[in-house]
């Protein structure tokens, strides 16, 4: 069985310290046993010193167990034939090799570890104590094997979770890009009829000036002003779609604008949604067509979000502004706790952000005092004709 990740993840300092503690504790235990033995039999001093020396060597070899897992695990296992204090480092190296799950290396080391256990237990002869030692050591070895496989399973699970999170992030980015592209296409399709209408008006008015010789000075001036105003509006419409890509598809009918908001509010009220409106927009007849359309779509999407995430609650829509100050839109509704956006959620807000940005405005959404608030600002410049009238 081939692993998906050959190298284990790096360890932090607490992780390294924990592994050395696991190796040192058995060394301390067996060291205490050796001290007790030597205190009763001084002739065992030299073998005890050899035992401890081999244990220290095993502890030093642990430093390379992650880079050379198989040689270190095999070497420390062989040390346990002569050294009881080397059991701790050998067990840590054994578990480290087991987490790699390389069976051609792991199984031979497991066999060598068991044979070393049997050999160490039979140094003083074979008896009941030897049998107990071998059985206990075999149980410990089996437990370490299961533990190493458990650690590898957890590591694989963590890797899978990270891969799933990355895949979800990539999918969410793809959905957001698709939402932006779809919004650009929709805006480009909405603007086509308006641009064609205004350009045809400019062409007709210019043709009238070119071929009609019976116009008075005042009529000529009015026609020129109309051409100028339509050209200005056409440029405003064009700015909103620059950079957008338009693919093939049928044209949509003329889109609603700010004047259609009353009908929208009546429609949603008839469907059961509670909407409170505070409309203080001045000179709404001077609002550019594209700005009114964006405002309509923003309010429409905000009401839709309220119906989805706070059904049955009261929604407050506030509109204000005037030429030169911009158009302000603020829609708020209660924000129930524990509501999840769900798959593909928040893409409506992404589309509104894209639409508002292309219109040259700003939009933000937040939760304050238990209410979700959508706040948009759209530019609304005073027209050239208004400026002339003000000066007159």
């Amino acid at each position: 069985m081939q692993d998906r990740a050959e190298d284990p993840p790096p360890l932090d300092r607490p992780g390294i310290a924990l592994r050395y503690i696991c190796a040192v504790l058995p060394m301390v235990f067996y060291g205490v046993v050796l001290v007790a033995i030597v205190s009763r039999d001084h002739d065992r001093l030299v073998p005890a010193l050899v035992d401890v020396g081999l244990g220290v060597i095993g502890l030093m070899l642990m430093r390379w167990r992650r880079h050379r897992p198989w040689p270190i695990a095999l070497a420390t296992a062989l040390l346990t034939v002569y050294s009881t204090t080397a059991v701790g480092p050998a067990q840590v190296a054994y578990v480290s090799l087991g987490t790699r799950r390389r069976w051609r290396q792991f199984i031979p080391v497991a066999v060598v570890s068991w044979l070393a256990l049997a050999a160490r237990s039979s140094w003083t002869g074979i008896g009941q104590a030897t049998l107990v030692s071998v059985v206990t050591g075999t149980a410990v070895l089996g437990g370490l094997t299961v533990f190493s496989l458990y650690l590898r399973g957890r590591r694989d699970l963590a890797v899978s979770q990270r891969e799933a999170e990355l895949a979800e992030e990539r999918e969410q980015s793809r959905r957001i890009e698709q939402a932006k592209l779809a919004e650009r296409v929709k805006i480009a399709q909405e603007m086509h009829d308006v641009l064609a209408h205004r350009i045809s008006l400019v062409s007709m008015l210019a043709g009238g000036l070119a071929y009609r010789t019976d116009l008075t000075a005042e009529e000529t001036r009015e026609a020129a002003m109309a051409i100028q105003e339509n050209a200005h509006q056409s440029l405003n419409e064009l700015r909103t779609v620059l950079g957008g890509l338009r693919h093939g598809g049928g044209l949509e009918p003329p889109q609603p604008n700010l004047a259609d908001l009353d009908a929208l509010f009546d429609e949603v009220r008839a469907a059961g949604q509670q909407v409170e409106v505070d409309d203080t927009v001045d000179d709404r007849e001077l609002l550019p067509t594209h700005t009114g359309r964006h405002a309509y779509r923003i309010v429409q999407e905000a009401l839709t979000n309220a119906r989805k995430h706070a059904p049955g609650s009261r929604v407050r829509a506030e509109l204000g502004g005037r030429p030169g100050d911009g158009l302000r839109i603020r829609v708020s509704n209660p924000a129930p706790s524990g509501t999840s956006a769900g798959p593909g959620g928040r893409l409506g807000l992404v589309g509104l952000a894209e639409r508002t940005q292309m219109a040259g405005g700003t939009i933000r959404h937040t939760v304050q005092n238990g209410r979700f608030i959508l706040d948009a600002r759209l530019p609304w410049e005073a027209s050239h004709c208004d400026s002339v009238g003000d000066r007159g």
Side-chain angles (χ1 to χ4, degrees), residues 314-329:
R314 182 176 296 275
V315 183
R316 179 174 176 81
E318 303 172 63
L319 295 92
R322 62 188 301 274
D325 293 338
L327 180 65
R328 301 181 301 276
I329 302 172

Side-chain angles (χ1 to χ4, degrees), residues 175-185 350-351 354 358:
R175 289 197 295 262
I176 290 176
E177 290 301 323
Q178 286 184 342
K180 290 181 178 180
L181 179 59
E183 192 65 23
R184 290 190 182 104
V185 172
V350 173
E354 184 74 4
M358 295 182 69

Side-chain angles (χ1 to χ4, degrees), residues 176-192 240-247 294 350-355 357-358:
I176 290 176
E177 290 301 323
Q178 286 184 342
K180 290 181 178 180
L181 179 59
E183 192 65 23
R184 290 190 182 104
V185 172
K186 184 189 299 183
I187 294 173
Q189 291 172 343
E190 290 175 359
M191 301 302 290
H192 177 273
T240 64
V241 295
L242 287 178
L245 299 177
R246 177 162 186 244
H247 300 292
H294 292 316
V350 173
L352 286 182
E354 184 74 4
R355 174 186 290 274
Q357 182 180 4
M358 295 182 69

Side-chain angles (χ1 to χ4, degrees), residues 39-87:
S39 65
R40 293 196 304 267
D41 186 0
H42 296 288
D43 293 338
R44 301 291 300 273
L45 178 59
V46 174
L49 292 177
V50 173
D51 190 319
V52 173
L54 294 177
V56 173
I57 292 175
L59 188 65
M60 294 172 61
L61 290 176
M62 280 183 54
R63 178 178 179 182
W64 296 280
R65 75 188 186 283
R66 291 171 64 84
H67 302 290
R68 299 288 187 271
W70 182 74
I72 299 302
L74 182 60
T76 53
L78 291 174
L79 290 177
T80 61
V81 175
Y82 305 98
S83 173
T84 56
T85 56
V87 169

Side-chain angles (χ1 to χ4, degrees), residues 17 26 60 71 73 111-112 147 188 190 202 207 229 248 253 257 305 319 330 360 370:
M60 294 172 61
V111 172
V112 171
F147 181 64
E190 290 175 359
V202 170
E229 182 64 22
N257 53 38
N305 285 339
L319 295 92
R330 182 184 179 92

